[in-house]
């Protein structure tokens, strides 16, 4: 039962009690007063007295009647007031108590105690309020822990190149490290990594805030894939990894932001190249399902353990951190951003692998335009 009904019934109840008392008083108390008066008059046997009395009787009847009604109303009023006070106390305590609890809990949360939760008092609007409050508290707690983790991750990521640059500079100052072009190149690489990281962080924050501005147009996915492949082919040739495009020949129309989808495909192909040793192969397959267009990037590289299939989409997650670093790997946010971009297009991105050393497949699915 909702609150509107509860209020209505409680007030109706107050009115009904008042009316009941009024009805009871006028039905029993007033006539009794009258009959007492009349009985008193009949006992007087003197006719003169009787006539005199009759003259004043009208006035007396009226006065008595008013008196009776007034006293009845007084009784009704007092009873109604007590009932109203009792009912409103009951109702307001039912409403005010949970509201006060919500107010107190909000203060707690404002002070940083995100674990605060409340028990829903009933299944009406108050219950809904408390449930929304709990939901908000839960989301705030998740955001806060994400924020803390992000600060930890970012400082960890910044620490390594900074420590390395500082180490080189100290070595150069002390004359331990020779001031050769190679040394400067190493320092330059570390500075570049910092720059890449800052760029990735900007992208990530935009993606996570859902602030990716998408310029959506109907595009042929097959054509986009072919463009990216043509651009990256020289790197595949350099490393000795075969790259093939197969699947549907016809145009596959999707409504996308071309640059963003190119960014996703570049990331998938870049990873496939990075984690596939020379002599391996990468196959890109485009196909059409009933309502979507699918792009699969399959490699014969190092593969992924089943527990890493979802983790690789978490920010800063790298399966083998040291290998990624030494192999010039990114900061581990590429796939996180890619998934955000795909989800902003109402599509899906996921990974499949038969296990370590068995290659992996990254599948991108976009709704058919
Ligand atoms: P990174 O910039 O480190 O490549 P990504 O978010 O693109 O970051 O990838 C996260 C991690 O997922 C990588 O560090 C790597 O461990 C793993 N990974 C991504 N693609 C592949 C792949 N094709 N084969 C094996 N592992 C992969």
């Amino acid at each position: 039962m909702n609150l509107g009904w509860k209020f209505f019934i409680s007030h109706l109840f107050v009115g009904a009690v008042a009316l009941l008392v009024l009805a009871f008083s006028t039905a029993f108390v007033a006539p009794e007063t009258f009959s007492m008066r009349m009985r008193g008059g009949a006992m007087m046997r003197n006719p003169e007295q009787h006539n005199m009395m009759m003259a004043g009787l009208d006035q007396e009847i009226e006065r008595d009647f008013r008196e009776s009604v007034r006293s009845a109303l007084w009784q009704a009023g007092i009873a109604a007031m007590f009932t109203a006070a009792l009912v409103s106390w009951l109702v307001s305590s039912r409403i005010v108590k949970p509201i006060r609890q919500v107010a107190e809990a909000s203060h707690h949360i404002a002070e940083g105690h995100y674990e605060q939760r409340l028990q829903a008092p009933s299944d009406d609007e108050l219950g809904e309020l408390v449930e929304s409050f709990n939901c908000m508290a839960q989301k705030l707690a998740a955001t806060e822990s994400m924020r803390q983790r992000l600060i930890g991750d970012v400082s960890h990521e910044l620490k390594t190149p900074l420590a390395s640059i500082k180490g080189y500079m100290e070595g150069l100052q002390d004359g331990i490290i020779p001031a050769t072009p190679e040394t400067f190149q190493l320092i330059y690489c570390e500075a570049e990594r910092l720059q890449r990281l800052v760029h990735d962080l900007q992208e990530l924050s935009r993606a996570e805030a859902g602030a990716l501005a998408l310029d959506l147009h109907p595009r042929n996915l097959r054509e986009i894939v072919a463009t990216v492949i043509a651009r990256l082919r020289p790197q595949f040739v350099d490393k000795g990894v075969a790259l093939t495009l197969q699947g549907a020949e016809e145009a596959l129309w999707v409504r996308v932001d071309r640059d963003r989808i190119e960014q996703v495909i570049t990331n998938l192909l870049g990873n496939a190249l990075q984690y596939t040793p020379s002599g391996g192969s990468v196959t890109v397959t485009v196909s059409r399902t009933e309502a979507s267009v699918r792009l699969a990037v399959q490699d014969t590289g190092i593969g992924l353990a089943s527990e890493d299939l979802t983790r690789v989409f978490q920010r800063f997650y790298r399966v083998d951190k040291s290998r990624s670093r030494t192999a010039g790997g990114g900061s581990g946010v590429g796939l996180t951003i890619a998934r955000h971009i795909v989800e902003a297009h109402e599509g899906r991105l996921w990974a499949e692998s038969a296990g370590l050393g068995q290659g992996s497949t990254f599948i991108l699915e976009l709704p058919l335009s």
Side-chain angles (χ1 to χ4, degrees):
M1 195 194 287
N2 68 28
L3 265 182
W5 272 108
K6 284 180 183 167
F7 268 123
F8 177 65
I9 290 171
S10 63
H11 287 122
L12 204 69
F13 180 66
V14 173
V17 170
L19 277 175
L20 257 168
V21 175
L22 189 60
F24 177 84
S25 306
T26 43
F28 298 103
V29 181
E32 200 179 69
T33 315
F34 273 114
S35 65
M36 267 171 64
R37 192 76 210 164
M38 295 312 284
R39 272 201 306 275
M43 279 194 310
M44 293 179 212
R45 294 284 172 235
N46 186 328
E48 252 181 60
Q49 255 189 344
H50 184 74
N51 283 342
M52 270 172 62
M53 199 199 80
M54 283 308 281
L57 193 60
D58 279 353
Q59 283 176 6
E60 278 194 42
I61 286 175
E62 202 183 317
R63 202 180 57 234
D64 284 353
F65 181 74
R66 278 219 206 96
E67 210 37 57
S68 312
V69 170
R70 199 178 302 136
S71 90
L73 281 175
W74 265 108
Q75 289 171 34
I78 289 167
M81 253 171 56
F82 273 115
T83 315
L86 182 73
V87 171
S88 36
W89 176 76
L90 281 172
V91 172
S92 69
S93 67
R94 266 205 31 62
I95 294 167
V96 170
K97 201 176 145 207
I99 290 176
R100 203 167 283 153
Q101 281 175 344
V102 170
E104 274 167 19
S106 323
H107 286 305
H108 247 79
I109 285 186
E111 282 159 14
H113 304 288
Y114 296 100
E115 71 290 347
Q116 183 82 40
R117 297 289 180 277
L118 294 172
Q119 192 110 42
S122 48
D123 58 355
D124 53 21
E125 285 91 336
L126 279 173
E128 273 172 36
L129 172 75
V130 168
E131 253 153 44
S132 324
F133 175 86
N134 286 341
C135 181
M136 181 200 72
Q138 194 185 334
K139 284 195 176 149
L140 281 174
T143 310
E144 175 60 14
S145 85
M146 209 163 87
R147 190 182 68 84
Q148 279 174 358
R149 246 186 306 130
L150 180 65
I151 292 173
D153 289 343
V154 171
S155 22
H156 179 79
E157 291 299 318
L158 289 173
K159 223 158 59 189
T160 319
L162 279 176
S164 166
I165 291 172
K166 196 173 159 222
Y168 281 124
M169 297 315 281
E170 277 171 3
L172 281 169
Q173 276 175 337
D174 297 347
I176 302 166
I177 298 175
T180 58
E182 288 77 37
T183 309
F184 293 121
Q185 180 59 29
L186 285 170
I187 297 170
Y188 180 81
C189 283
E190 294 296 339
E192 223 181 12
R193 182 187 287 185
L194 273 177
Q195 198 180 27
R196 236 185 6 244
L197 176 65
V198 171
H199 172 264
D200 285 352
L201 284 172
Q202 280 174 332
E203 281 276 287
L204 180 69
S205 85
R206 261 200 295 269
E208 292 196 336
L212 287 173
L214 297 181
D215 185 18
L216 299 173
H217 292 288
R219 303 278 187 206
N220 178 2
L221 188 71
R222 200 187 152 84
E223 195 259 312
I224 299 179
V225 177
T227 311
V228 179
I229 286 182
R231 202 174 58 229
L232 295 182
R233 195 174 287 286
Q235 294 175 35
F236 279 77
V237 172
D238 278 356
K239 193 175 174 183
V241 174
L243 175 61
T244 39
L245 171 61
Q246 61 180 36
E249 290 287 333
E250 88 265 30
L252 299 168
W253 293 100
V254 280
R255 216 177 122 69
V256 293
D257 181 321
R258 186 184 176 119
D259 290 347
R260 290 294 182 188
I261 292 301
E262 272 191 18
Q263 181 185 344
V264 173
I265 301 169
T266 306
N267 183 254
L268 297 182
L269 283 176
N271 281 347
L273 175 64
Q274 188 175 347
Y275 300 108
T276 303
S278 305
S281 67
V282 174
T283 310
V284 183
T285 311
V286 277
S287 57
R288 209 193 123 149
T289 65
E290 208 170 296
S292 59
V293 173
R294 198 176 259 212
L295 177 133
V297 178
Q298 184 177 20
D299 63 51
T300 57
I302 60 170
L304 286 163
S306 60
E307 66 270 19
D308 286 329
L309 290 175
T310 50
R311 286 197 208 146
V312 290
F313 293 98
Q314 289 171 8
R315 67 162 107 87
F316 300 112
Y317 187 80
R318 288 181 301 233
V319 175
D320 183 342
K321 295 185 190 245
S322 58
R323 184 185 52 211
S324 292
R325 274 190 204 289
T326 49
S331 46
V333 296
L335 287 175
T336 319
I337 297 170
R339 185 174 258 183
H340 277 293
I341 293 174
V342 173
E343 284 173 358
H345 282 85
E346 285 162 19
R348 291 195 304 143
L349 175 64
W350 72 97
E352 291 175 0
S353 174
L356 283 174
Q358 318 245 17
S360 37
T361 307
F362 282 79
I363 301 158
L364 157 67
E365 208 173 68
L366 290 167
L368 199 65
S369 171

